[in-house]
Amino acid sequence: PRARGMLRGVLVAQLLQAATTQSRVRPSACFRRAGFVIASFPSRSRSPSPFRVSSVRFVSQPNPAVFPACGRNSTARASSTEHEMSLPKGEGADALVAQSCADLGACSRETPLLTPTQITTNMRAVPVWVLSADGKSISRNFTAKNWQCALAFLNHLSEIAEHEGHHPDVHLTNYRDVRVVVTTHAIGGLSLHDFVLAAKLDKVDVTYSPKWLREHAAAE
C-alpha cells in the first residue's frame, strides 16, 4: 500500500507540473480552464516521501466560462433571449395543465381510451403536436440551438414526467434534434394522461435553433 501511495504521488505530481509549466498558473486554475475542478482531500499515507501529496479526485463540474449554458455567456444571456420562449397555448391548454396524471391514476389496461372525437378536441390544446397516422400517439419535434439547450429541455421533461408518473419516448439525434412521442403503452393508444403531459411540456422554455424558428413560424 505504501509503494502504491508513493507511485500515485509521483504520477499526480508530474501531471500537475506538466499542466502548469506552460500556463504558469495554479493547478486548480489550469484544470478549471478545461471545465473541471480539483477537489483535494488529506492523504491517509504516513510516508515521508518528498512526493507525498493530497489525494486528488476530479469532479466533473462544467465551467460556465468554458461551457456556457445553451452556448451563451452570462453577458449575452442577460442581453438576449431572442430564441428562448414558450409555445403558444392552444384552446383548452390551461384546463389540461391544471390536471395531474397522478390524480388521474396510474395507467393500466383499465385506463379509458380516448375516442377520435376526444382526440380531435384535445389536439386543439397542443397545436404543435402531431397525431400519428394510426391515431395511437402524438409527437413533437424541434431543433434546439445546441446540445446544451437540447439537454436543458430533456432535463425539464424528466422532472415533469417523474412528477406526473407518465413517461414519453424521447429521441435526441444529430446532437440537438429532439423528438418526443407520447402514448399510453398500457392501452396501446391515447388517453387523457397523454394530453395532460403534452400540455405541461409545452410550458417549458426552449432555446430553439434560429434557422428552425424561421422555418417553423408556428413555434414562435
Side-chain angles (χ1 to χ4, degrees):
R2 177 175 296 182
R4 287 197 297 269
M6 292 176 62
L7 179 59
R8 179 181 60 185
V10 172
L11 293 176
V12 172
Q14 291 178 345
L15 172 63
L16 297 182
Q17 181 179 4
T20 57
T21 298
Q22 299 298 326
S23 60
R24 297 184 183 278
V25 296
R26 290 178 293 114
S28 60
C30 179
F31 281 96
R32 284 178 189 277
R33 287 183 179 180
F36 298 90
V37 296
I38 293 179
S40 60
F41 304 91
S43 173
R44 294 181 179 179
S45 173
R46 297 183 179 179
S47 170
S49 168
F51 296 105
R52 179 186 176 189
V53 297
S54 296
S55 298
V56 175
R57 177 167 61 91
F58 290 93
V59 182
S60 178
Q61 177 177 316
N63 181 354
V66 180
F67 305 115
C70 289
R72 291 181 283 180
N73 58 36
S74 57
T75 302
R77 186 175 180 83
S79 61
S80 175
T81 56
E82 178 182 359
H83 308 299
E84 183 171 351
M85 63 194 70
S86 296
L87 298 176
K89 292 186 298 184
E91 179 185 345
D94 287 337
L96 289 174
V97 171
Q99 299 186 63
S100 168
C101 293
D103 292 340
L104 293 174
C107 296
S108 67
R109 294 181 179 179
E110 284 69 44
T111 300
L113 189 68
L114 294 181
T115 66
T117 300
Q118 291 173 319
I119 292 175
T120 300
T121 299
N122 283 298
M123 286 298 296
R124 299 192 189 103
V126 288
V128 297
W129 292 76
V130 178
L131 181 66
S132 63
D134 58 11
K136 295 182 178 181
S137 66
I138 55 175
S139 62
R140 174 184 165 191
N141 304 269
F142 67 85
T143 300
K145 185 176 182 181
N146 53 36
W147 168 267
Q148 291 281 3
C149 297
L151 287 188
F153 170 79
L154 294 179
N155 286 334
H156 283 295
L157 178 152
S158 178
E159 294 176 1
I160 294 172
E162 281 293 292
H163 183 266
E164 296 297 317
H166 194 56
H167 305 83
D169 294 330
V170 178
H171 309 268
L172 176 59
T173 57
N174 296 323
Y175 81 88
R176 59 175 181 161
D177 291 335
V178 178
R179 174 177 172 81
V180 183
V181 181
V182 181
T183 186
T184 301
H185 301 91
I187 58 176
L190 290 167
S191 69
L192 184 57
H193 296 68
D194 301 314
F195 288 95
V196 169
L197 179 62
K200 290 179 182 289
L201 293 180
D202 282 352
K203 293 183 67 65
V204 176
D205 289 334
V206 179
T207 305
Y208 298 99
S209 158
K211 179 180 179 181
W212 185 88
L213 276 180
R214 290 193 298 269
E215 296 175 350
H216 298 77
E220 296 183 349

